[in-house]
């Protein structure tokens, strides 16, 4: 007797047929089981009920559609944050990848970043743990830089910022050409940090703050990587540390804690 076939970890649910091409692209890049609920409409089962029946089949979901629809579909289904499937909502234009349910425990935060990496979407993570981490690391590196080289460069950079620690880092940002660098991926995985991948065209449009790199300009076509990547990932932040370099790895640090404090103070108004 053959053993039962294990279900894929990921389910993909495009709400409209127009979202099918994006769903198929995500399946191609991330794997998973793709649902086409409009094909079952003739059976008389509303799509919301179809999703409810499939909800526990996968530990993670990508729903392609409006957040409001996702909330209505989920009504009454979540039970416990330690067992609920993770849900990420992606709009049909792939502008945003929203971690909606089971951000930490189910891995929706990480899944939102994975979706962002392959689509160029903006990851939206609202869990409190991430909200209090003010630092973003912008990292550039030579090809096949090791995890040890990257770790040493990051440690050197943090040491130049009094009070800054790796525990305060929310995410790492880099250029799309470095999205699959094994050393960079290993560094992020080791420290539980999501990797934000920025398109080269977007980095090229961001004004360079420090001294441009002639080597990067000739080989990648932009003035630099680490500073613009970090600033794009944290547009409200300020450059805490300009580009530092060590053994083929460049690191810049952006801090958006001050921007957040100013925002809150403006909301409160004058004393």
């Amino acid at each position: 007797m053959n053993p039962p076939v294990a279900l894929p970890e990921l389910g993909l649910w495009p709400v409209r047929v127009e979202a099918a091409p994006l769903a198929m692209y995500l399946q191609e890049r991330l794997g998973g089981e793709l649902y086409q609920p409009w094909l079952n409409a003739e059976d008389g089962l509303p799509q919301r009920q179809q999703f409810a029946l499939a909800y526990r089949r996968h530990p993670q979901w990508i729903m392609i559609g409006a957040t409001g629809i996702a909330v209505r579909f989920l009504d009454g289904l979540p039970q416990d944050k330690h067992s609920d499937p993770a849900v990420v909502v992606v709009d049909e234009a792939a502008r945003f990848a929203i971690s909606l349910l089971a951000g930490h425990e189910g891995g929706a935060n990480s899944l939102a970043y994975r979706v962002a990496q392959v689509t160029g979407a903006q990851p939206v993570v609202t869990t409190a743990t991430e909200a209090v981490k003010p630092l973003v690391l912008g990292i550039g590196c030579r090809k096949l830089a090791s995890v040890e080289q990257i770790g040493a460069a990051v440690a050197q950079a943090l040491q130049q910022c009094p009070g800054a620690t790796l525990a305060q880092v929310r995410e790492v940002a880099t250029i799309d050409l470095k999205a699959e660098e094994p050393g960079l991926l290993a560094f992020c995985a080791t420290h539980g940090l999501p990797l934000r991948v920025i398109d080269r065209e977007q980095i090229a449009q961001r004004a360079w703050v420090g001294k441009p790199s002639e080597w990067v300009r000739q080989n990648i076509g932009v003035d630099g990587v680490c500073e613009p990547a970090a600033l794009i990932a944290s547009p409200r932040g300020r450059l805490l540390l300009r580009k530092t370099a060590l053994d083929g790895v460049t690191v810049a640090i952006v801090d958006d804690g001050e921007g957040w404090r100013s925002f809150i103070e403006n909301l409160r108004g004058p004393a």
Side-chain angles (χ1 to χ4, degrees):
M1 181 177 179
N2 294 327
V5 178
L7 291 171
E9 289 283 307
L10 178 66
L12 299 102
W13 193 279
V15 175
R16 303 196 314 151
V17 66
E18 289 82 358
L22 175 57
M24 288 186 284
Y25 172 77
L26 287 169
Q27 183 189 38
E28 178 184 337
R29 299 297 301 272
L30 302 177
E33 181 175 352
L34 174 60
Y35 291 78
Q36 301 180 74
W38 49 85
L39 297 180
N40 301 321
E42 59 187 31
D43 296 336
L45 198 62
Q47 190 176 150
R48 178 175 169 178
Q49 293 184 26
Q50 292 182 46
F51 180 76
L53 291 173
Y55 176 64
R56 296 281 172 184
R57 287 169 56 89
H58 309 280
Q60 294 190 331
W61 283 96
I62 296 174
M63 183 176 289
I64 304 172
T67 307
I69 293 176
V71 170
R72 287 192 290 273
F73 277 24
L74 288 166
D75 185 30
L77 296 179
Q79 297 175 355
D80 183 271
K81 68 178 184 178
H82 298 289
S83 60
D84 290 333
V87 179
V88 169
V89 180
V90 185
D91 62 285
E92 291 185 6
R95 295 187 183 96
F96 300 97
I98 305 167
S99 173
L100 185 66
L101 184 66
H104 281 297
E105 289 77 10
N109 292 352
S110 299
L111 181 58
Y113 275 92
R114 289 171 59 201
V115 172
Q117 284 183 25
V118 300
T119 63
Q122 175 85 7
V124 180
V125 175
T126 59
T127 43
T129 302
E130 282 68 29
V132 297
K133 293 183 176 182
L135 303 183
V136 173
L137 299 180
I139 297 181
C141 62
R142 296 290 179 94
K143 186 176 181 180
L144 298 180
S146 69
V147 63
E148 292 82 10
Q149 289 173 304
I150 292 171
V154 168
Q156 173 185 264
L158 289 170
Q159 287 172 1
Q160 297 182 53
C161 303
T165 67
L166 198 56
Q168 296 173 309
V169 175
R170 182 173 66 248
E171 62 184 320
V172 172
T174 193
I175 195 168
D176 52 8
L177 297 178
K178 299 298 177 181
E180 301 299 328
E181 277 291 334
L184 185 56
L185 294 174
F187 173 81
C188 291
T190 298
H191 298 285
L193 292 170
L195 179 63
R196 175 88 69 94
V197 176
I198 312 294
D199 289 339
R200 178 169 52 177
E201 291 76 13
Q202 192 176 0
I203 285 182
Q205 294 169 6
R206 180 63 169 81
W208 182 246
V209 178
K211 182 180 178 180
S213 167
E214 188 60 34
W215 186 93
V216 174
R217 182 182 293 162
Q218 292 179 358
N219 288 273
I220 300 181
V222 296
D223 287 336
V225 171
C226 61
E227 287 185 17
L231 288 165
I232 291 169
S234 185
R236 191 176 57 193
R238 66 181 179 89
L239 195 60
L240 184 64
L241 181 71
R242 293 188 174 187
K243 179 183 73 173
T244 61
L246 177 67
D247 199 13
V249 180
T250 60
V251 180
I253 302 177
V254 165
D255 178 5
D256 69 4
E258 184 176 324
W260 169 246
R261 287 188 291 272
S262 298
F263 175 72
I264 293 298
E265 289 172 1
N266 289 335
L267 286 179
R268 291 172 178 166

